[in-house]
Amino acid sequence: MATGAETAARAEPAAGRSRRSWRGHGWWVFAAFLVLMAAWAAVPELFMPFDSDRLNPLRRLLSPLAVSDDGRHLAGTDSLGRDLFSQMIRGTRLTLYIAVVATTIGAAVGVLVGMLAGYFGGLPDRLLMRLGEAQTAMPMFLVAILLLSMLGPSVVILIVVLPTLVWPIFARVVRAETLQVREATYIEAAVATGCTVPAVLFTHVLPNVVPRILVLYVVEIGHVMLAEAGLSFLGVGVQPPDVTWGLLIADGRPLLTVAWWLTILPGVLLGVVVLSLNMLSRRFEQYAGAAA
Amino acid sequence: MPTPQTPAAGRPDGPAAGGLVLLILRRLRDGIITLALVVAVIFVLTNLVGDPALVYAPVDATDEEVERLARAFGLDDPFLQRFAEYFVDVFTGDFGDSHWQKRPALNAVFDALPNTIMLTLAGIAGAAVFGIIGGIMAGARPGSVFDRVNNLTSVAALSVPNFWLGLLLIVVFSLRLGLFPTSGKLGWSSIVLPAATVAIVHGGRIFQLVRSATVEEMSKPYVLVARSKGFPRRTVLWRHVLRNTGLTTATIAGWEYVRLWGGAVFAIEWVFAWPGIGTLMINAAHRQDFFVLQAAVIIAGAFVVTSNLLVDLMYRAIDNRVKAS
């Protein structure tokens, strides 16, 4: 119940918000940018101006746009002379991979729990939702730190821990939608004609909740990216030699006084990606609102 | 004080059956269950996932030494017995000794606690001022330049990692302008940057929510009636609309405070080396000091549960009074 009013407040604006501010086609820019990020993740070699791992003591700590013998360094170089822009491109794959996989797992669990709770009601509903509530009240980020520092940080454990942060949100939204859908005549008809419970849930209930799930999914990918960056920054997430944007920020921190770009630029990239996800999700929200 | 029996219509949590007292008791019970769950989860994590003796033993310990350590910790006892003992220990305040600070873990946590409380309160105060005033002004005129600029700014503030924002403030205000210290806690100026970081991020979220609530409220018929009767927009906004959105607004700010304790503030502390729970916890994690880590997580969990409870009760208490009058 912790965030009940909050979700309520968040769910309303589509109706009241002025359409004017969103009529433009600005969202194409954000979508195009995300496509570019997907391309960086898929084939980083195509985009990297330099070998991201090549050390070169002669070009240490060059500031952004500086030119070395090898060419121009858009984002400067780090203390070992590696090109930061190439490193950021290299980090895209793992950053996106962790966020997408973890969010997908969380969404799948949340949707299933939400549908079951909403469809059956009664005791299973109360148990499942209480579990979600209890977990929302728990400082999961701290539990994640505890767990990761005990087991030793690893990408696999991150992918297990991160979904725990998002599944209750999906469960709550899907449950509310399912409660409404359940009363529809076509559900009654489906049950009367002998549909099994999984058939009802997946062919009749699920399609109705997809728009809301999609809106949420896009936002939560961004939240998971921020959580991963946080854990990696605190030293309990992704470890070198793997690279994510959060880790690049952490790596740059000791050099903040001499080379601000090592910390600031990867954060800008991460921020723009999350911003794009937020903007796209708002766009979807309008479609979902219009369709309903 | 009368306890009205009005059924709580339209509340996501279903009708509140009894009076306020019953409600408080029920919420208190829920809170205690949640806290017990936190403790249980931590016990299971520390005892099933890892081998505590192996973790506490020095790196070069022989098998016998590890075994001796295990016996000293009582790790040979049956699982359920250890579980019960752990519960008793935790609720009597015995969290074990920090092998890093050479003193009880709880003392280390209690030393850090006031600093975190100070930072979270300063941060949420700033966030509430900016978020609420900005949100109301933007929500009153959706689509205006003020609305658009602030809307975009707040979405941007929500999109960047909070610790990164802290680093950015350090670069600009400490390194470039030299206005505030980069880190630590030396005098009042040390709290400015970490509190500003909290205020920007959480003010952004408060802004978003207050704005939507105001936009929604402004579209209700009574606003149109008041406006057509000739009340100036400003009067309608600050006299009528605000009275109706006030409850939501207070709750929004309350939940942002809970969110801080849920983990949002700890990375910011780490950035500024602010000597609070977060910094203590990360230091403990890096030193494998699990007693301190457990104590910190449980105490922070207690804060989350308590503030959750208070916000929830505040919401219902105000709501009931509104209904009664």
Side-chain angles (χ1 to χ4, degrees), chain A residues 181-200:
Chain A
V181 173
R182 188 177 63 174
E183 306 303 328
T185 327
Y186 61 83
I187 299 288
E188 206 181 321
V191 175
T193 52
C195 276
T196 57
V197 170
V200 172

Side-chain angles (χ1 to χ4, degrees), chain B residues 49-61:
Chain B
V49 177
D51 180 352
L54 214 55
V55 167
Y56 291 113
V59 188
D60 55 351

Side-chain angles (χ1 to χ4, degrees), chain A residues 196-230:
Chain A
T196 57
V197 170
V200 172
L201 286 183
F202 285 100
T203 62
H204 299 290
V205 176
L206 190 59
N208 284 291
V209 296
V210 161
R212 294 282 292 140
I213 298 173
L214 196 65
V215 171
L216 208 54
Y217 183 71
V218 174
V219 176
E220 290 307 320
I221 288 181
H223 286 163
V224 170
M225 280 175 90
L226 293 179
E228 179 272 314

Side-chain angles (χ1 to χ4, degrees), chain B residues 51-76:
Chain B
D51 180 352
L54 214 55
V55 167
Y56 291 113
V59 188
D60 55 351
T62 60
D63 284 354
E64 289 102 68
E65 278 171 327
V66 173
E67 215 168 288
R68 193 153 8 97
L69 209 58
R71 229 172 299 126
F73 280 142
L75 292 175
D76 294 342

Side-chain angles (χ1 to χ4, degrees), chain B residues 288-300:
Chain B
Q288 307 265 304
D289 194 345
F290 294 107
F291 284 133
V292 170
L293 203 52
Q294 286 175 29
V297 173
I298 290 173
I299 298 293

Side-chain angles (χ1 to χ4, degrees), chain B residues 235-281:
Chain B
T235 313
V236 178
L237 180 66
W238 297 103
R239 287 261 180 83
H240 303 147
V241 171
L242 202 61
R243 194 165 290 184
N244 287 315
T245 53
L247 175 64
T248 324
T249 305
T251 320
I252 288 167
W255 275 328
E256 278 309 305
Y257 188 72
V258 175
R259 198 192 287 267
L260 281 177
W261 278 96
V265 78
F266 300 121
I268 296 175
E269 284 187 355
W270 179 240
V271 166
F272 290 97
W274 182 259
I277 302 258
T279 304
L280 176 75
M281 205 156 50

